[in-house]
Amino acid sequence: AWILYVLASIAIGAAWVSDRKVLMTSGWALSIVAFLIHTYGFALRVYLTGRPPVSNMYESVIWVSWGTILFAFFFEWKQKTKFVLLSGAIVATLCNIVADSVPHVLDASLQPLEPVLRSNLWLTVHVLTITISYSAFFLAWALGNLGLGFVIKGDKPTSPRIEAINIAIYRCIQIGVVLLAAGTILGGVWADYSWGRLWGWDPKETWALIALLGYIAILHARLSGWVKQVGMLMGAVVSF
């Protein structure tokens, strides 16, 4: 999958530079084939384990990159800017290379779940929801880095390209905030079901809340005008 994502990134980048439609079509085709292989591998893991595969870091990295390319497909289809799909393909490439290349860090073996996690219902509604919010934030991060690169090269903050990147980032963060808020609330309900308390200020709960409040602050700052174009680019990178 990641080899095809690399080829897709090259094709989309070439399409951006040369503005040739055949290259962009090739980029789309390669991305879709890579995504289907990505999905097939993930589906096999679900079949073998009999549960949503988000119980460890290896599975989460693959799932988050899957969600990132899915969001990239949607926003590229809506905006037709080339850079959204390029950013998604780059994120998917990075995540899948890491998952494929460092087994001592990301263990790919199939392990039984801890007893407290053995609930397919809660794994699906809580863990899949909260982790796919990271996909939207990851895409915003990639777009933010891309936009900052253009600003460093001399693009004005008011240029059409920077404005289009900012719109995509804003939409990504909006979706991510909705999903992260829902996932955090559902996590509290699961904690009450498992441990008899909604909130215990443990590290995962606390940092989920900090992440949510941080991204909400960016949305409010953008809405109120405190943060402009370059500030939004920086916020998408720093918050991630």
Side-chain angles (χ1 to χ4, degrees):
W2 71 253
I3 291 169
L4 288 172
Y5 283 131
V6 168
L7 295 175
S9 301
I10 293 169
I12 298 163
W16 199 353
V17 172
S18 65
D19 205 28
R20 292 176 64 185
K21 190 175 181 180
V22 66
L23 288 171
M24 192 62 200
T25 303
S26 300
W28 265 106
L30 288 164
S31 298
I32 290 169
V33 173
F35 180 74
L36 292 174
I37 294 171
H38 195 161
T39 305
Y40 174 66
F42 217 60
L44 283 180
R45 198 168 177 97
V46 172
Y47 174 74
L48 289 170
T49 58
R51 56 172 169 77
V54 284
S55 64
N56 59 32
M57 188 58 72
Y58 172 84
E59 294 172 346
S60 297
V61 164
I62 295 174
W63 166 250
V64 167
S65 62
W66 183 91
T68 301
I69 199 74
L70 187 66
F71 287 132
F73 283 156
F74 175 73
F75 286 117
E76 182 63 42
W77 171 70
K78 292 284 286 183
Q79 290 187 257
K80 296 177 175 60
T81 55
K82 297 186 179 73
F83 59 74
V84 179
L85 188 55
L86 176 62
S87 299
I90 289 170
V91 167
T93 299
L94 291 173
C95 287
N96 282 280
I97 286 176
V98 169
D100 195 32
S101 306
V102 286
H104 57 289
V105 177
L106 302 180
D107 183 10
S109 61
L110 302 175
Q111 300 290 341
L113 286 174
E114 298 174 35
V116 73
L117 296 178
R118 288 176 191 167
S119 169
N120 278 352
L121 171 65
W122 287 112
L123 271 177
T124 302
V125 299
H126 164 58
V127 182
L128 290 187
T129 301
I130 205 164
T131 48
I132 205 166
S133 74
Y134 306 156
S135 301
F137 296 140
F138 212 157
L139 184 57
W141 170 85
L143 290 165
N145 278 295
L146 189 66
L148 287 172
F150 288 131
V151 170
I152 290 168
K153 282 184 66 178
D155 274 28
K156 292 183 178 180
T158 54
S159 70
R161 182 159 60 182
I162 298 300
E163 287 184 356
I165 290 174
N166 263 281
I167 290 169
I169 289 172
Y170 190 52
R171 296 288 178 251
C172 286
I173 293 178
Q174 284 178 315
I175 289 174
V177 162
V178 171
L179 292 167
L180 183 55
T184 303
I185 293 165
L186 289 167
V189 177
W190 188 11
D192 187 46
Y193 173 80
S194 298
W195 298 308
R197 52 96 176 141
L198 288 167
W199 196 266
W201 297 105
D202 71 34
K204 281 190 178 182
E205 292 171 345
T206 304
W207 280 100
L209 180 61
I210 290 169
L212 177 60
L213 293 175
Y215 277 108
I216 287 174
I218 289 176
L219 293 181
H220 279 282
R222 168 78 172 181
L223 192 62
S224 64
W226 296 346
V227 166
K228 304 294 184 184
Q229 305 285 43
V230 176
M232 195 69 179
L233 299 175
M234 293 175 66
V237 174
V238 172
S239 295
F240 190 74

